[in-house]
Amino acid sequence: MRLEQVGDEAALEEWRTQVLGRSGELTQVLRGIGGMEPDERRAVGQAANVAKQELEAALDARSEQLSRAALEREAADGLDVTLPGRPRRPGRLHPVTRTLREILDIFGRMGFAAIEGPEVEHDEYNFGRLRIPEHHPARDMWDTFWFDEEIDGATPLLLRTHTSPMQIRFIEQHDPPVRIVVPGRCYRYEATDATHEWMMQQVEVLAIDEGISVADLKGTLQEFARQMFGPERRVLLRNSYFPFVEPGVELAVDCFSCPGDDPRCPVCRGSGWLEIMGAGMVHPEIIAAAGFDPERYTGFAAGMGVERITMLKYGIEDIRNFYANDLRFLRQF
Ligand SMILES: [Zn+2]
């Protein structure tokens, strides 16, 4: 077979074996040299070596020609295999997921078990049993999405506005001591802006046992704030109101971005304090409704927005970034 007639890689390899291979034609010639006279041996040897080099060069040239022709055929089909490959970027956790895991880790180390609950909830659990009856003004803060269907005899269904309903569901099924955190998505019928989304993640904290006091509430949340925002953090409890706790507080940490009095500080805007969650002592009526003696058992509850904690921690100014699916934002974490 002549080299010019070789049409593809397989045929080229066949030609190489036939001519230059271990038992190829040229190799046979070279093997025959041993039995020749010295003068003849030198002349034939030199000629054979020149021939070998020329054949190898011709082989390389033909191989090059064949692969260029293959590329041209593929380019004609619209495929450019000479383009560099596209690098595959490794995936990473969403910043909210990262913060959520961090929160659950911190409470986990303090002995709190993480449990989850339904996102579609009964009015009774989302509001009623948390001491927010119909027409209670607190319902205005927590407007949500309602379902049309009614299930026989039960209260209407809605998308839960907080993970607090799991406080009730859990203590209906479990005796104290209770130490749980409840992560999950919550919904609000809300016009969105830089600090409001219609869907967000919350973590509810609940501890019920004999002899739990405000000191336990403060100590636990202070330890959480220090692990989350740094060991130097101080916390501040301010009076607040939530229908299912008594007394109710807002928990704030001191600003970690400025000395506390810089009006240009993007994190605290000069106030020096950042509110990170609402909390309080579990209302005695809630403990009694679950069948436990509120004189004997007391507890505390707290609820925090995971997006808010993430925004504070990383200096993010618009909550809508989290769910806009813009990779330029997400790749920064
Ligand atoms: Zn500040």
Side-chain angles (χ1 to χ4, degrees), residues 254-274:
D254 58 340
C255 183
F256 45 81
S257 181
C258 77
D261 52 5
D262 182 355
R264 286 162 307 169
C265 173
V267 179
C268 76
R269 301 202 157 74
S271 74
W273 295 95
L274 316 163

PDB file of all heavy atoms in Angstrom, residues 254-274, ligand 1:
ATOM      1  N   ASP A 254     -23.828  44.107  69.852  1.00  0.00           N
ATOM      2  CA  ASP A 254     -23.172  45.373  69.538  1.00  0.00           C
ATOM      3  C   ASP A 254     -22.505  45.275  68.171  1.00  0.00           C
ATOM      4  O   ASP A 254     -22.119  44.199  67.723  1.00  0.00           O
ATOM      5  CB  ASP A 254     -22.181  45.775  70.641  1.00  0.00           C
ATOM      6  CG  ASP A 254     -21.110  44.731  70.886  1.00  0.00           C
ATOM      7  OD1 ASP A 254     -21.325  43.558  70.512  1.00  0.00           O
ATOM      8  OD2 ASP A 254     -20.059  45.072  71.443  1.00  0.00           O
ATOM      9  N   CYS A 255     -22.402  46.413  67.488  1.00  0.00           N
ATOM     10  CA  CYS A 255     -21.912  46.438  66.106  1.00  0.00           C
ATOM     11  C   CYS A 255     -20.466  45.924  66.031  1.00  0.00           C
ATOM     12  O   CYS A 255     -19.619  46.336  66.808  1.00  0.00           O
ATOM     13  CB  CYS A 255     -21.990  47.848  65.540  1.00  0.00           C
ATOM     14  SG  CYS A 255     -21.488  47.919  63.818  1.00  0.00           S
ATOM     15  N   PHE A 256     -20.241  45.011  65.071  1.00  0.00           N
ATOM     16  CA  PHE A 256     -18.885  44.471  64.916  1.00  0.00           C
ATOM     17  C   PHE A 256     -18.138  45.184  63.807  1.00  0.00           C
ATOM     18  O   PHE A 256     -17.024  44.836  63.467  1.00  0.00           O
ATOM     19  CB  PHE A 256     -18.931  42.965  64.637  1.00  0.00           C
ATOM     20  CG  PHE A 256     -19.956  42.582  63.617  1.00  0.00           C
ATOM     21  CD1 PHE A 256     -19.699  42.704  62.264  1.00  0.00           C
ATOM     22  CD2 PHE A 256     -21.204  42.105  64.014  1.00  0.00           C
ATOM     23  CE1 PHE A 256     -20.645  42.369  61.330  1.00  0.00           C
ATOM     24  CE2 PHE A 256     -22.168  41.771  63.066  1.00  0.00           C
ATOM     25  CZ  PHE A 256     -21.895  41.903  61.726  1.00  0.00           C
ATOM     26  N   SER A 257     -18.783  46.214  63.210  1.00  0.00           N
ATOM     27  CA  SER A 257     -18.187  46.866  62.048  1.00  0.00           C
ATOM     28  C   SER A 257     -17.634  48.251  62.393  1.00  0.00           C
ATOM     29  O   SER A 257     -16.793  48.777  61.681  1.00  0.00           O
ATOM     30  CB  SER A 257     -19.247  46.977  60.951  1.00  0.00           C
ATOM     31  OG  SER A 257     -18.725  47.569  59.806  1.00  0.00           O
ATOM     32  N   CYS A 258     -18.095  48.859  63.496  1.00  0.00           N
ATOM     33  CA  CYS A 258     -17.613  50.181  63.895  1.00  0.00           C
ATOM     34  C   CYS A 258     -17.563  50.228  65.422  1.00  0.00           C
ATOM     35  O   CYS A 258     -18.072  49.339  66.083  1.00  0.00           O
ATOM     36  CB  CYS A 258     -18.539  51.271  63.339  1.00  0.00           C
ATOM     37  SG  CYS A 258     -20.085  51.458  64.235  1.00  0.00           S
ATOM     38  N   PRO A 259     -16.963  51.276  66.003  1.00  0.00           N
ATOM     39  CA  PRO A 259     -16.913  51.356  67.471  1.00  0.00           C
ATOM     40  C   PRO A 259     -18.292  51.575  68.103  1.00  0.00           C
ATOM     41  O   PRO A 259     -18.409  51.590  69.326  1.00  0.00           O
ATOM     42  CB  PRO A 259     -16.006  52.571  67.736  1.00  0.00           C
ATOM     43  CG  PRO A 259     -15.354  52.901  66.446  1.00  0.00           C
ATOM     44  CD  PRO A 259     -16.245  52.402  65.357  1.00  0.00           C
ATOM     45  N   GLY A 260     -19.331  51.782  67.283  1.00  0.00           N
ATOM     46  CA  GLY A 260     -20.667  51.906  67.848  1.00  0.00           C
ATOM     47  C   GLY A 260     -21.271  53.282  67.711  1.00  0.00           C
ATOM     48  O   GLY A 260     -22.398  53.503  68.132  1.00  0.00           O
ATOM     49  N   ASP A 261     -20.512  54.230  67.130  1.00  0.00           N
ATOM     50  CA  ASP A 261     -21.071  55.575  67.037  1.00  0.00           C
ATOM     51  C   ASP A 261     -20.778  56.225  65.680  1.00  0.00           C
ATOM     52  O   ASP A 261     -20.795  57.441  65.547  1.00  0.00           O
ATOM     53  CB  ASP A 261     -20.494  56.451  68.163  1.00  0.00           C
ATOM     54  CG  ASP A 261     -18.963  56.379  68.179  1.00  0.00           C
ATOM     55  OD1 ASP A 261     -18.382  55.739  67.261  1.00  0.00           O
ATOM     56  OD2 ASP A 261     -18.352  56.952  69.097  1.00  0.00           O
ATOM     57  N   ASP A 262     -20.501  55.390  64.670  1.00  0.00           N
ATOM     58  CA  ASP A 262     -20.187  55.934  63.351  1.00  0.00           C
ATOM     59  C   ASP A 262     -21.461  56.014  62.506  1.00  0.00           C
ATOM     60  O   ASP A 262     -21.993  54.987  62.083  1.00  0.00           O
ATOM     61  CB  ASP A 262     -19.151  55.021  62.663  1.00  0.00           C
ATOM     62  CG  ASP A 262     -18.744  55.557  61.297  1.00  0.00           C
ATOM     63  OD1 ASP A 262     -19.336  56.567  60.852  1.00  0.00           O
ATOM     64  OD2 ASP A 262     -17.840  54.955  60.679  1.00  0.00           O
ATOM     65  N   PRO A 263     -21.960  57.228  62.255  1.00  0.00           N
ATOM     66  CA  PRO A 263     -23.230  57.340  61.513  1.00  0.00           C
ATOM     67  C   PRO A 263     -23.125  56.819  60.078  1.00  0.00           C
ATOM     68  O   PRO A 263     -24.141  56.544  59.453  1.00  0.00           O
ATOM     69  CB  PRO A 263     -23.525  58.850  61.539  1.00  0.00           C
ATOM     70  CG  PRO A 263     -22.229  59.513  61.867  1.00  0.00           C
ATOM     71  CD  PRO A 263     -21.407  58.537  62.642  1.00  0.00           C
ATOM     72  N   ARG A 264     -21.870  56.660  59.562  1.00  0.00           N
ATOM     73  CA  ARG A 264     -21.726  56.149  58.196  1.00  0.00           C
ATOM     74  C   ARG A 264     -21.601  54.627  58.172  1.00  0.00           C
ATOM     75  O   ARG A 264     -21.446  54.030  57.116  1.00  0.00           O
ATOM     76  CB  ARG A 264     -20.495  56.770  57.543  1.00  0.00           C
ATOM     77  CG  ARG A 264     -20.672  58.236  57.149  1.00  0.00           C
ATOM     78  CD  ARG A 264     -19.325  58.866  56.924  1.00  0.00           C
ATOM     79  NE  ARG A 264     -18.472  58.626  58.104  1.00  0.00           N
ATOM     80  CZ  ARG A 264     -17.167  58.868  58.156  1.00  0.00           C
ATOM     81  NH1 ARG A 264     -16.537  59.308  57.105  1.00  0.00           N
ATOM     82  NH2 ARG A 264     -16.489  58.653  59.267  1.00  0.00           N
ATOM     83  N   CYS A 265     -21.626  53.992  59.356  1.00  0.00           N
ATOM     84  CA  CYS A 265     -21.474  52.534  59.412  1.00  0.00           C
ATOM     85  C   CYS A 265     -22.627  51.858  58.657  1.00  0.00           C
ATOM     86  O   CYS A 265     -23.789  52.085  58.977  1.00  0.00           O
ATOM     87  CB  CYS A 265     -21.456  52.064  60.867  1.00  0.00           C
ATOM     88  SG  CYS A 265     -21.485  50.271  61.005  1.00  0.00           S
ATOM     89  N   PRO A 266     -22.297  51.036  57.618  1.00  0.00           N
ATOM     90  CA  PRO A 266     -23.373  50.422  56.828  1.00  0.00           C
ATOM     91  C   PRO A 266     -24.125  49.337  57.605  1.00  0.00           C
ATOM     92  O   PRO A 266     -25.219  48.940  57.226  1.00  0.00           O
ATOM     93  CB  PRO A 266     -22.623  49.810  55.639  1.00  0.00           C
ATOM     94  CG  PRO A 266     -21.234  49.578  56.124  1.00  0.00           C
ATOM     95  CD  PRO A 266     -20.953  50.628  57.174  1.00  0.00           C
ATOM     96  N   VAL A 267     -23.522  48.847  58.682  1.00  0.00           N
ATOM     97  CA  VAL A 267     -24.147  47.737  59.414  1.00  0.00           C
ATOM     98  C   VAL A 267     -25.138  48.259  60.452  1.00  0.00           C
ATOM     99  O   VAL A 267     -26.285  47.823  60.516  1.00  0.00           O
ATOM    100  CB  VAL A 267     -23.073  46.835  60.055  1.00  0.00           C
ATOM    101  CG1 VAL A 267     -23.718  45.700  60.844  1.00  0.00           C
ATOM    102  CG2 VAL A 267     -22.163  46.256  58.980  1.00  0.00           C
ATOM    103  N   CYS A 268     -24.722  49.221  61.297  1.00  0.00           N
ATOM    104  CA  CYS A 268     -25.617  49.701  62.370  1.00  0.00           C
ATOM    105  C   CYS A 268     -26.122  51.116  62.150  1.00  0.00           C
ATOM    106  O   CYS A 268     -26.973  51.605  62.882  1.00  0.00           O
ATOM    107  CB  CYS A 268     -24.909  49.609  63.718  1.00  0.00           C
ATOM    108  SG  CYS A 268     -23.674  50.910  63.979  1.00  0.00           S
ATOM    109  N   ARG A 269     -25.585  51.818  61.169  1.00  0.00           N
ATOM    110  CA  ARG A 269     -25.960  53.215  60.872  1.00  0.00           C
ATOM    111  C   ARG A 269     -25.840  54.124  62.091  1.00  0.00           C
ATOM    112  O   ARG A 269     -26.646  55.024  62.306  1.00  0.00           O
ATOM    113  CB  ARG A 269     -27.368  53.291  60.303  1.00  0.00           C
ATOM    114  CG  ARG A 269     -27.486  52.478  59.023  1.00  0.00           C
ATOM    115  CD  ARG A 269     -28.634  52.891  58.142  1.00  0.00           C
ATOM    116  NE  ARG A 269     -28.370  52.474  56.771  1.00  0.00           N
ATOM    117  CZ  ARG A 269     -28.450  51.207  56.349  1.00  0.00           C
ATOM    118  NH1 ARG A 269     -28.809  50.251  57.161  1.00  0.00           N
ATOM    119  NH2 ARG A 269     -28.179  50.899  55.092  1.00  0.00           N
ATOM    120  N   GLY A 270     -24.838  53.823  62.925  1.00  0.00           N
ATOM    121  CA  GLY A 270     -24.554  54.706  64.049  1.00  0.00           C
ATOM    122  C   GLY A 270     -25.277  54.365  65.342  1.00  0.00           C
ATOM    123  O   GLY A 270     -24.998  54.948  66.379  1.00  0.00           O
ATOM    124  N   SER A 271     -26.206  53.380  65.284  1.00  0.00           N
ATOM    125  CA  SER A 271     -26.947  53.054  66.508  1.00  0.00           C
ATOM    126  C   SER A 271     -26.090  52.222  67.463  1.00  0.00           C
ATOM    127  O   SER A 271     -26.325  52.187  68.661  1.00  0.00           O
ATOM    128  CB  SER A 271     -28.219  52.286  66.172  1.00  0.00           C
ATOM    129  OG  SER A 271     -27.894  50.960  65.792  1.00  0.00           O
ATOM    130  N   GLY A 272     -25.086  51.506  66.899  1.00  0.00           N
ATOM    131  CA  GLY A 272     -24.225  50.686  67.734  1.00  0.00           C
ATOM    132  C   GLY A 272     -24.777  49.297  68.032  1.00  0.00           C
ATOM    133  O   GLY A 272     -24.051  48.431  68.511  1.00  0.00           O
ATOM    134  N   TRP A 273     -26.073  49.063  67.764  1.00  0.00           N
ATOM    135  CA  TRP A 273     -26.692  47.769  68.087  1.00  0.00           C
ATOM    136  C   TRP A 273     -27.436  47.199  66.891  1.00  0.00           C
ATOM    137  O   TRP A 273     -28.033  47.937  66.126  1.00  0.00           O
ATOM    138  CB  TRP A 273     -27.651  47.920  69.271  1.00  0.00           C
ATOM    139  CG  TRP A 273     -26.946  48.284  70.530  1.00  0.00           C
ATOM    140  CD1 TRP A 273     -26.760  49.548  71.031  1.00  0.00           C
ATOM    141  CD2 TRP A 273     -26.290  47.392  71.431  1.00  0.00           C
ATOM    142  NE1 TRP A 273     -26.046  49.491  72.187  1.00  0.00           N
ATOM    143  CE2 TRP A 273     -25.740  48.191  72.472  1.00  0.00           C
ATOM    144  CE3 TRP A 273     -26.097  46.001  71.476  1.00  0.00           C
ATOM    145  CZ2 TRP A 273     -25.021  47.633  73.525  1.00  0.00           C
ATOM    146  CZ3 TRP A 273     -25.385  45.463  72.535  1.00  0.00           C
ATOM    147  CH2 TRP A 273     -24.853  46.270  73.536  1.00  0.00           C
ATOM    148  N   LEU A 274     -27.401  45.882  66.759  1.00  0.00           N
ATOM    149  CA  LEU A 274     -28.082  45.206  65.661  1.00  0.00           C
ATOM    150  C   LEU A 274     -29.080  44.218  66.236  1.00  0.00           C
ATOM    151  O   LEU A 274     -28.695  43.301  66.967  1.00  0.00           O
ATOM    152  CB  LEU A 274     -27.074  44.412  64.828  1.00  0.00           C
ATOM    153  CG  LEU A 274     -25.762  45.125  64.512  1.00  0.00           C
ATOM    154  CD1 LEU A 274     -24.720  44.128  64.065  1.00  0.00           C
ATOM    155  CD2 LEU A 274     -26.035  46.160  63.437  1.00  0.00           C
TER     156      LEU A 274
HETATM  157 ZN    ZN B   1     -21.706  50.090  63.295  1.00  0.00          ZN
END
